Amino acid sequence: MGISIEEVNISDFEIMKSFSHKEGGQLSAPAADASMLVDNEQAAAVRNNWSVQQQRDTYENDPTAKFIKAIDSDSGEMLGIARWHFYPCRYQVSDLEYAGSKPKDDDASYPAGLNIPLYKGMLDQIFKRRPEWIVNGPQWYLTTVKVRESFRRRGAGSAMIRWGIEKARTEKCPAYLEAAADAENFYAILGFDDVGELRIDMRPFGIPAEAVFTRMATNVARTEPRCDD
């Protein structure tokens, strides 16, 4: 199976919503998956449709967002998507990350069944603490990568990551991401280095555990001069 990487267009989001009832798997964002566990097709469809709409809102309203898709070159099937951001001067976060164009502090902006304190709390901590380790200057940041379940381990995820790495090399700037424990080796093979750890206490969200992420970066040595503060 050949894989091509293409930029997402607006019509692709309706295709992503159609995956709610299509064999092969959905493309809801990992943060939504972790905060809304489902055990039936109807709930999975609600989660997928909401998450895809949130991503569409980001696509339409955040100029730093660069959505790409992995396509089966033979069948034309969409295998997965990734969302990179290019920040020309410094990292910045948008409220679109939470509920798209809907108010992030209104519970009605989220689907029934989503653990809102968990979802917002994790994102709050991740966004708040990114400036601890990301230097000012041009940078690419990977926020989301998702491959449909039936098409994993075929190279689609790697191809979308390499796309961003090549963009960073061309711009002579670093690329960053936070990796879950089970994905750290995957990113390391592609050229990302472990540059630290992020631990989030989950007890305030009703989970007696810590979420642990590995902060990873590549191409840092070629960073352009820092932006003026």
Side-chain angles (χ1 to χ4, degrees), residues 20-92:
S20 295
H21 302 287
K22 186 174 180 180
E23 183 179 354
Q26 303 177 356
L27 287 175
S28 50
D33 294 345
S35 304
M36 184 176 173
L37 304 181
V38 299
D39 59 5
N40 62 77
E41 183 177 302
Q42 182 177 0
V46 168
R47 181 180 66 185
N48 185 69
N49 288 340
W50 177 83
S51 180
V52 170
Q53 184 61 50
Q54 182 269 333
Q55 295 175 71
R56 175 175 176 158
D57 290 348
T58 301
Y59 173 90
E60 293 186 296
N61 296 288
D62 186 346
T64 73
K66 315 297 178 184
F67 283 84
I68 57 173
K69 58 186 177 182
I71 300 294
D72 183 324
S73 301
D74 298 323
S75 68
E77 184 86 6
M78 188 188 304
L79 311 178
I81 62 165
R83 173 159 57 97
W84 288 87
H85 287 257
F86 177 66
Y87 302 111
C89 187
R90 57 176 57 83
Y91 169 76
Q92 54 188 313

Side-chain angles (χ1 to χ4, degrees), residues 118 121-122 125 129 198-213:
L118 173 61
M122 282 198 305
Q125 287 298 310
R129 297 175 63 180
L198 171 64
R199 290 181 172 270
I200 300 176
D201 184 359
M202 306 294 280
R203 288 175 297 180
F205 318 126
I207 300 175
E210 278 188 319
V212 181
F213 300 91

Side-chain angles (χ1 to χ4, degrees), residues 84 133 140-142 158 160-162 164-166 168-169 174-179 183-195 214-220:
W84 288 87
W133 65 288
W140 283 84
Y141 210 106
L142 177 68
S158 298
M160 291 188 288
I161 303 305
R162 291 192 179 99
I165 292 173
E166 186 56 36
R169 286 175 178 161
Y176 298 107
L177 60 85
E178 288 105 358
E184 180 180 348
N185 288 340
F186 168 73
Y187 292 113
I189 290 171
L190 294 172
F192 280 87
D193 297 317
D194 179 343
V195 296
T214 301
R215 292 166 166 171
M216 307 192 78
T218 189
N219 215 34
V220 173

